[in-house]
């Protein structure tokens, strides 16, 4: 029995750019085909914050970072099918972040106005950190600031509560997850490349990475919980390495 056939199993898809040029960017045509596939197969897309709501063949569609091409290419397709989705925004990367800008964004990003339009269209907005920092490598004060600043800015500018988040790079730890909970979030996304089931921690919900190289057949297999075993093992192994790095940084007084 694969993960997708278990009771309460929900595939949570992770996208980044729709139309960019890196390995995680999905072509607009491929994205449209994938959404058509969901429609044809009778899936019911839910916002991440409602991922456990009873539905016929539930699926969650998420997007990280806040690329401008979400507004241009993804949103029209989602609206065409009436699909719910969740966009996790890195607030310091927004095009008009101004004096609150943080770090170098990976591409052309949304403006605050576009982010508000996305929210008004019914897309759930979640946080993705302020500077896209590796949260599991931050000290306590910096971690708390990263989590609270992103959520605070989104709530202030959009005028609506923000209760969910996704870890930048998918990196977290038990310490990070405790702080996420303490900061008032109700759930958070990791990566892990597995289908979500009832056994998963709500602060480490696994997602399935959709890449530039993901074929339509590969997309269909991912929905069924197949084809990601190697990635999952590598992700778990790397978590051990990152915990060791953070411990070493603390000993040196860096974190």
């Amino acid at each position: 029995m694969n993960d997708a056939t278990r009771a309460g199993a929900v595939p949570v898809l992770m996208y980044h750019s729709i139309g960019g040029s890196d390995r995680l960017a999905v072509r607009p045509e491929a994205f449209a085909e994938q959404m058509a596939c969901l429609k044809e197969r009778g899936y019911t897309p839910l916002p991440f914050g409602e991922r456990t709501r009873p539905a016929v063949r539930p699926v969650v569609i998420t997007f990280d970072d806040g690329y401008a091409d979400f507004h241009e290419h993804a949103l029209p397709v989602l609206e065409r099918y009436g699909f719910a989705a969740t966009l996790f925004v890195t607030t310091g990367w927004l095009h008009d972040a101004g004096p609150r800008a943080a770090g170098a964004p990976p591409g052309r990003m949304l403006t605050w106005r576009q982010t508000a339009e996305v929210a008004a269209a019914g897309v759930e907005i979640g946080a993705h950190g302020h500077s896209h920092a590796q949260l599991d490598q931050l000290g306590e004060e910096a971690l708390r600031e990263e989590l609270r600043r992103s959520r605070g800015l989104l709530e202030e500018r959009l005028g609506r509560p923000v209760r969910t988040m996704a870890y930048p790079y998918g990196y977290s730890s038990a310490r990070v997850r405790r702080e996420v909970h303490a900061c008032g979030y109700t759930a958070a996304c990791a990566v892990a490349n597995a289908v979500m089931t009832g056994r998963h921690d709500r602060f480490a919900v696994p997602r399935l990475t959709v890449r530039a190289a993901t074929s339509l057949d590969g997309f269909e297999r991912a929905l069924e919980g197949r084809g990601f075993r190697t990635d999952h093992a590598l992700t778990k192994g790397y978590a051990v390495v990152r915990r060791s790095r953070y411990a070493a940084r603390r000993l040196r007084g860096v974190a």
Side-chain angles (χ1 to χ4, degrees):
M1 178 183 296
N2 61 42
D3 284 346
T5 61
R6 297 176 186 168
V10 180
V12 182
L13 304 173
M14 179 179 69
Y15 289 92
H16 289 79
S17 169
I18 305 298
S21 58
D22 63 46
R23 65 184 179 85
L24 290 177
V26 174
R27 291 181 299 105
E29 298 82 5
F31 177 73
E33 287 180 350
Q34 291 160 4
M35 295 303 99
C37 174
L38 294 180
K39 187 70 172 182
E40 290 166 5
R41 296 183 63 170
Y43 278 93
T44 303
L46 302 173
F48 178 67
E50 299 178 26
R51 66 200 175 282
T52 59
R53 176 164 58 84
V56 177
R57 303 199 79 179
V59 65
V60 176
I61 308 167
T62 72
F63 301 79
D64 284 6
D65 300 333
Y67 287 91
D69 53 42
F70 175 86
H71 190 280
E72 297 165 5
H73 300 307
L75 185 59
V77 176
L78 294 169
E79 290 185 317
R80 183 190 313 157
Y81 291 113
F83 283 178
T86 299
L87 174 65
F88 294 110
V89 177
T90 302
T91 47
W93 279 359
L94 289 175
H95 181 72
D96 52 354
R100 291 168 168 167
R108 194 165 51 90
M109 312 307 285
L110 291 166
T111 63
W112 274 113
R113 179 184 60 78
Q114 289 173 325
T115 305
E117 290 175 357
V118 168
V123 174
E124 177 188 24
I125 303 296
H128 196 43
H130 181 67
S131 67
H132 207 271
Q134 300 178 29
L135 300 180
D136 62 335
Q137 301 299 301
L138 297 181
E140 302 305 321
E141 185 176 343
L143 171 61
R144 196 171 298 115
E145 171 66 13
E146 188 75 15
L147 293 172
R148 292 183 174 175
R149 191 174 194 187
S150 57
R151 180 183 172 199
L153 285 170
L154 288 168
E155 291 186 333
E156 175 189 331
R157 296 296 296 262
L158 302 180
R160 61 188 66 204
V162 172
R163 295 289 181 262
T164 62
M165 69 158 295
Y167 302 112
Y169 308 101
Y171 302 153
S172 73
S173 64
R175 177 182 67 91
V176 170
R177 293 189 289 274
R178 285 193 299 271
E179 191 58 44
V180 168
H181 189 188
C183 285
Y185 293 96
T186 59
C189 285
V191 180
N193 285 317
V195 172
M196 184 194 82
T197 66
R199 64 183 172 82
H200 287 109
D201 182 342
R202 65 190 171 106
F203 291 104
V205 176
R207 291 187 289 174
L208 302 162
T209 308
V210 185
R211 301 178 171 87
T214 302
S215 65
L216 189 58
D217 179 63
F219 179 77
E220 293 176 340
R221 285 187 288 110
L223 290 170
E224 297 167 358
R226 298 185 291 124
F228 281 108
R229 283 179 294 180
T230 300
D231 279 356
H232 184 45
L234 288 172
T235 302
K236 290 178 68 176
Y238 195 42
V240 175
V241 174
R242 299 189 63 77
R243 285 196 294 271
S244 298
R245 286 179 181 173
Y246 175 70
R249 287 169 61 85
R250 289 195 65 187
L251 287 173
R252 296 197 308 268
V254 175

